[in-house]
Amino acid sequence: MPQFTDILFFGLAGLVLLFGLLTVANPFSRNPVTSAMFLVLTIVSLAGLYVLLHAFFLAAIQVLVYAGAVMVLFLFVIMLLDLKEEEHRRLKSGILAVGSLAVVAFVGILLTTLLKAKPTASAVAGRLVEGDTVKLGTLLFENWLLPFEILSVLLLVAMVGVILLTKKDLK
Amino acid sequence: MNYSLIIVEITAVLIGLGVLMTDLWISPAARKGLGYAAAVAVGCLLAFATGSLAPQHGLGFRDSFVVDDLARFFKAFFLFGAIVVILMTVEFSSRIASGLSEFFALVIFALVGMLFAASANDLVLLFVSLELITVTFYILTSFQRNRLASLEAGVKYLILGAVASAFMVFGIALIFGSANSTNFRVIAAHQTELATSPVFLLGLLLVLAGLGFKIAAFPFQAWAPDVYQGSPAPATAFLAVGSKAAGFVLLIRLLTQAVPQITAEWSRLLVVMSAATIIYGSLCAIPQRNLKRLMGYSSIANAGYLLLGIVAMSRSGSTAILFYLGGYFFTVLAAFTAMSALAEHIETDEIAGLAGLGRRSPFLAATLTLSLVSLAGIPPMVGFFGKVLLLRSVFESAPGRPDLYLLLGIAVIGVVISLYYYFGVIRSIYWGGSTPNLAPIRTSLGTKVALGTCIAGMVFLGIAPNGYLRIAETAIGGIDSAAGRLKSPALKKVSAHEAH
């Protein structure tokens, strides 16, 4: 008898896969805005999976930041770069074949690995990571303080780079 | 937490920020001076990092950051590289339309990423420092934004780099899921159990794919020729020297420190990867007409030779990698400094455009020739000795592993092929066809000093390699790869004292 959470997991995981596929290979529409909207749905379904893992804070951030802020930027870019031509572009069959082969091969490796893996997956006895804000904050600012601080340098670099590459009249 | 461990890295960040801020107050004409100042500042940092005041040994930040002989060797390597690249940029500045100070700052921030990578003892720190390096290079490669080739290089590097990072982070997630830790020491302690977990092995394979991208090993090499050709010469030089070395220090740490047993089981995979990289790089370099593109393929082939040291899975193999990287450092920097000094006088990057260089600037011609001779592996240059060390380390490990003899044969064939294409360039320098322009090319004092240092390094390390070889051996000494465990810092300290 499958538990309710199992049904939820498989339902949400199926939705993630379906929406993800529709984002990149929608047979009905080649409009980039439609793809972006399906990406929103993919992100929201992923947030549902985070909730199932008790990572409530991460789920909220996923919706707020990715489905909200980042997607608005995506739509901005799509509308700025008039992508009409994209709708009429045909993929070359050779490229499509090689790409599909790579995807099938990777999925094959992934599936065989997962089937071989024993249910008691963790080889090292593990602790359960809870996803509430206090625990997450402790992890981020104590265990992972150094990578966190390095990321601030990374963000500075990204900011300098964006200005350098896009500003109209650089002196 | 012991913050004194990361004092070199913090200082490097401060130098980078200082360059960014100083730019606000100085006139555009003074920007070259800012470059010299930045080089001097990094030079002082280098003197500090190699001195006795810098942290010598230690483990900090929940074991994710390690300072040992290997880390200190690579920190000195990266700092030295950054100085030469900054000086090269000053020479190249006429080609950078705008944002010269930012170029210096970005080189220093990439340096910060490399310094952290040299000390990474944890997959999270490994990933973050690699991202810092890669994101900085996305910008540096597309820096000449009015040149289409430069933008193309940047976009290609961005897309392929993003895919490689995605694979890598997926691999790290799988490793974390099966090992419940991302720390190299924890993984090393449990590697016997983990070797039986298919999820862990897949994760490790994906991380290897990500690192393979950084060093441009087959089949993750597709970006190298385009990026080498399109990006500004100083960025290419730093990419070839720094980014590749950062990939190799992480490979050494991961494969010989964290999971030596699994590496031994995977030796066939590494042999194939190394052989394919050498063959691909050598064969594709033959028809090239563009010098920078040729250097791109040559860098792929060199990644293959360096992988020989990983395949050998011995201390002498890792030592040979360090030695070869040191020689490669001087050689590549000499070649690219000469190229960026030429950029002002010769419009094309084509090999045919070098015709008559032997008469126009005997000094630059000689530098380019010497570095190509060293890359080809001809004595007495350092490239020869490095290749000998790598091949010898494989030969020593070969008994009982028949596929290594085949690999040795392929490596020798690769060297022979490389003689052909390197000498094609030299022929065009001295015996090239008709030359419309015979005006002599002047080189500035800074370039002369940088090139002189590189030539001295190439020749000195080739003739008297023992001192440097001993440094490389000390750097590897902390790793006990045969037994597959890392000596504790305290133990290492004792052994270091005994050595003195």
Side-chain angles (χ1 to χ4, degrees), chain B residues 8-365:
Chain B
V8 176
E9 285 80 3
I10 291 180
T11 319
V13 173
L14 290 179
I15 295 174
L17 291 176
V19 171
L20 270 186
M21 296 300 289
T22 314
D23 180 52
L24 297 176
W25 287 288
I26 61 171
S27 68
R31 282 186 184 145
K32 279 192 178 183
L34 184 61
Y36 288 122
V40 169
V42 178
C44 293
L45 188 58
L46 173 65
F48 171 74
T50 49
S52 56
L53 283 174
Q56 304 288 316
H57 294 283
L59 205 59
F61 299 94
R62 310 228 165 190
D63 288 3
S64 72
F65 188 90
V66 62
V67 178
D68 55 9
D69 292 323
L70 184 67
R72 280 177 32 233
F73 175 88
F74 272 98
K75 279 184 212 290
F77 183 95
F78 294 135
L79 285 163
F80 194 24
I83 297 171
V84 180
V85 170
I86 291 172
L87 290 177
M88 197 193 295
T89 312
V90 174
E91 192 56 35
F92 194 76
S93 56
S94 61
R95 289 242 162 168
I96 294 174
S98 51
L100 186 61
S101 315
E102 281 81 1
F103 198 100
F104 299 135
L106 286 173
V107 167
I108 293 169
F109 287 132
L111 166 71
V112 172
M114 291 168 194
L115 292 175
F116 275 114
S119 283
N121 198 38
D122 186 292
L123 285 169
V124 176
L125 192 58
L126 174 153
F127 180 72
V128 170
S129 47
L130 272 189
E131 280 304 282
L132 179 55
I133 299 171
T134 320
V135 170
T136 317
F137 273 113
Y138 296 151
I139 305 160
L140 289 178
T141 48
S142 43
F143 212 86
Q144 292 172 299
R145 58 177 203 180
N146 42 7
R147 266 183 68 219
L148 208 57
S150 181
L151 286 178
E152 183 192 330
V155 170
K156 278 182 176 160
Y157 194 38
L158 171 70
I159 292 175
L160 291 175
V163 173
S165 298
F167 275 116
M168 190 159 182
V169 82
F170 188 42
I172 292 175
L174 291 178
I175 289 178
F176 180 66
S178 51
N180 219 330
S181 170
T182 50
N183 193 280
F184 289 172
R185 301 192 112 198
V186 179
I187 292 173
H190 293 98
Q191 57 170 323
T192 321
E193 306 103 275
L194 288 171
T196 60
S197 158
V199 176
F200 179 82
L201 293 180
L202 179 63
L204 192 63
L205 190 67
L206 292 176
V207 172
L208 272 191
L211 289 176
F213 174 85
K214 299 290 331 157
I215 62 168
F218 187 85
F220 316 106
Q221 86 299 345
W223 58 274
D226 285 328
V227 172
Y228 273 61
Q229 183 181 0
S231 34
T236 318
F238 207 29
L239 193 68
V241 168
S243 191
K244 198 182 281 283
F248 269 99
V249 64
L250 291 170
L251 272 180
I252 292 175
R253 278 217 195 276
L254 183 66
L255 290 181
T256 66
Q257 285 191 350
V259 290
Q261 288 176 18
I262 298 171
T263 313
E265 280 174 37
W266 282 5
S267 84
R268 193 61 61 81
L269 174 78
L270 292 166
V271 166
V272 171
M273 201 163 151
S274 167
T277 311
I278 293 175
I279 294 176
Y280 180 92
S282 305
L283 288 184
C284 289
I286 294 175
Q288 297 312 320
R289 294 280 162 268
N290 183 303
L291 186 55
K292 277 161 94 184
R293 200 172 177 82
L294 178 81
M295 293 303 285
Y297 282 108
S298 141
S299 109
I300 296 176
N302 276 301
Y305 295 127
L306 283 161
L307 276 175
L308 291 176
I310 302 267
V311 170
M313 279 183 305
S314 59
R315 214 179 266 199
S316 64
S318 305
T319 312
I321 291 182
L322 263 55
F323 186 88
Y324 194 87
L325 277 173
Y328 189 67
F329 173 90
F330 289 118
T331 314
V332 167
L333 286 182
F336 279 99
T337 312
M339 273 190 243
S340 61
L342 283 177
E344 228 174 302
H345 306 278
I346 296 177
E347 283 308 308
T348 63
D349 286 336
E350 300 293 304
I351 294 171
L354 294 173
L357 184 65
R359 265 168 292 167
R360 291 182 70 185
S361 171
F363 179 57
L364 287 180

Side-chain angles (χ1 to χ4, degrees), chain A residues 45-147:
Chain A
S45 323
L46 262 181
L49 286 179
Y50 288 154
V51 172
L52 282 181
L53 289 169
H54 294 250
F56 303 111
F57 180 70
L58 210 57
I61 289 295
Q62 173 89 353
V63 173
L64 282 177
V65 175
Y66 287 95
V70 172
M71 283 317 295
V72 171
L73 279 180
F74 268 45
L75 287 175
F76 253 128
V77 172
I78 290 173
M79 285 167 187
L80 277 177
L81 299 175
D82 188 26
L83 292 174
K84 279 275 179 323
E85 281 171 40
E86 195 66 18
E87 291 181 41
H88 305 293
R89 204 166 61 101
R90 287 273 155 264
L91 282 174
K92 292 193 186 102
S93 56
I95 293 176
L96 208 61
V98 174
S100 320
L101 192 72
V103 170
V104 168
F106 188 66
V107 170
I109 293 174
L110 207 58
L111 281 181
T112 38
T113 309
L114 290 179
L115 289 177
K116 264 199 205 159
K118 296 174 202 78
T120 52
S122 183
V124 183
R127 58 179 195 288
L128 195 68
V129 183
E130 281 291 331
D132 61 51
T133 34
V134 177
K135 293 262 170 53
L136 197 68
T138 321
L139 274 180
L140 205 54
F141 297 113
E142 279 186 9
N143 291 17
W144 306 116
L145 181 64
L146 187 59

